[in-house]
Amino acid sequence: MAFQPRGEERHRSAPPPRPGLSYSTPPPIPAIPPLPRVVRTARSLWLFSFAAGLAVLLGSFVARDSNLQRLRGLVAEMAAGRDAASVSTTAEIVFWGSISALLAVTLLEAVALAAVLGRRNWARWTLLPLLASHVLILVLASAFLVPAGAAGSYVVMLWGAGLLLALAGLALLFLPSAGVWLKRGGSRT
């Protein structure tokens, strides 16, 4: 009820019903095509590569006391005459910095691989410099994270296997069938 200025009350009626939709067909759901075999294989190779690299990092973390002790001796030789606290701090910085750098490049590779699997063509090109930087970081970190003896040979074998798997997975992503699948992904290239 609304009050009118002349003292009359007027009843408002309900608003008229809304008109129906002019086009009531549901929106199309885009079909998600299955991954081609070559892309599935590349994904598996990359995942095994990540597993090999992370196994080395996990092993280095578990054996961090012996690695830090070895690094303290290495740093003490390089920086003769330094006090024990600075040698210990430097060894810890080198150890944790090496592990962090390897973990960071592995995570960046995983993000780029996820983008490839999301049919982003640019991401496979991004994996090239990431893999090259991974090799450089491994060469630098090998001086600090590879222990002497048999344990060191296992670390080198796992790193080598991981790099070979990643390289094979990257090569598969540049095969023509993978390229066709990536380019059919739409305008997101």
Side-chain angles (χ1 to χ4, degrees):
M1 285 204 252
F3 179 72
Q4 297 294 329
R6 295 183 210 161
E8 301 173 10
E9 287 188 25
R10 189 172 137 201
H11 294 286
R12 288 190 185 186
S13 61
R18 293 186 149 207
L21 296 174
S22 61
Y23 186 68
S24 61
T25 306
I29 298 172
I32 299 174
L35 292 174
R37 184 176 182 179
V38 68
V39 176
R40 283 193 317 261
T41 305
R43 176 185 60 189
S44 297
L45 290 173
W46 272 101
L47 291 176
F48 287 135
S49 169
F50 295 153
L54 292 176
V56 171
L57 292 178
L58 183 65
S60 294
F61 177 75
V62 169
R64 68 185 173 275
D65 292 333
S66 63
N67 282 335
L68 284 171
Q69 187 63 30
R70 183 181 48 81
L71 281 174
R72 285 184 190 106
L74 182 67
V75 170
E77 288 176 14
M78 294 174 73
R82 299 286 181 177
D83 62 339
S86 64
V87 167
S88 180
T89 302
T90 304
E92 288 179 15
I93 289 171
V94 166
F95 177 75
W96 291 112
S98 298
I99 285 186
S100 298
L102 287 170
L103 188 60
V105 76
T106 301
L107 289 175
L108 288 173
E109 287 171 343
V111 167
L113 181 63
V116 168
L117 296 175
R119 299 181 82 173
R120 306 278 200 280
N121 192 25
W122 57 265
R124 66 179 174 167
W125 292 100
T126 304
L127 282 170
L128 280 170
L130 280 176
L131 189 57
S133 65
H134 196 157
V135 170
L136 288 173
I137 291 172
L138 280 178
V139 168
L140 291 174
S142 66
F144 308 117
L145 294 180
V146 177
S153 64
Y154 291 130
V155 168
V156 171
M157 284 191 296
L158 275 173
W159 275 348
L163 284 177
L164 287 176
L165 289 168
L167 188 61
L170 184 62
L172 288 177
L173 290 175
F174 281 96
L175 289 178
S177 60
V180 168
W181 177 78
L182 284 168
K183 288 180 180 155
R184 284 189 191 155
S187 62
R188 301 181 299 176
T189 57

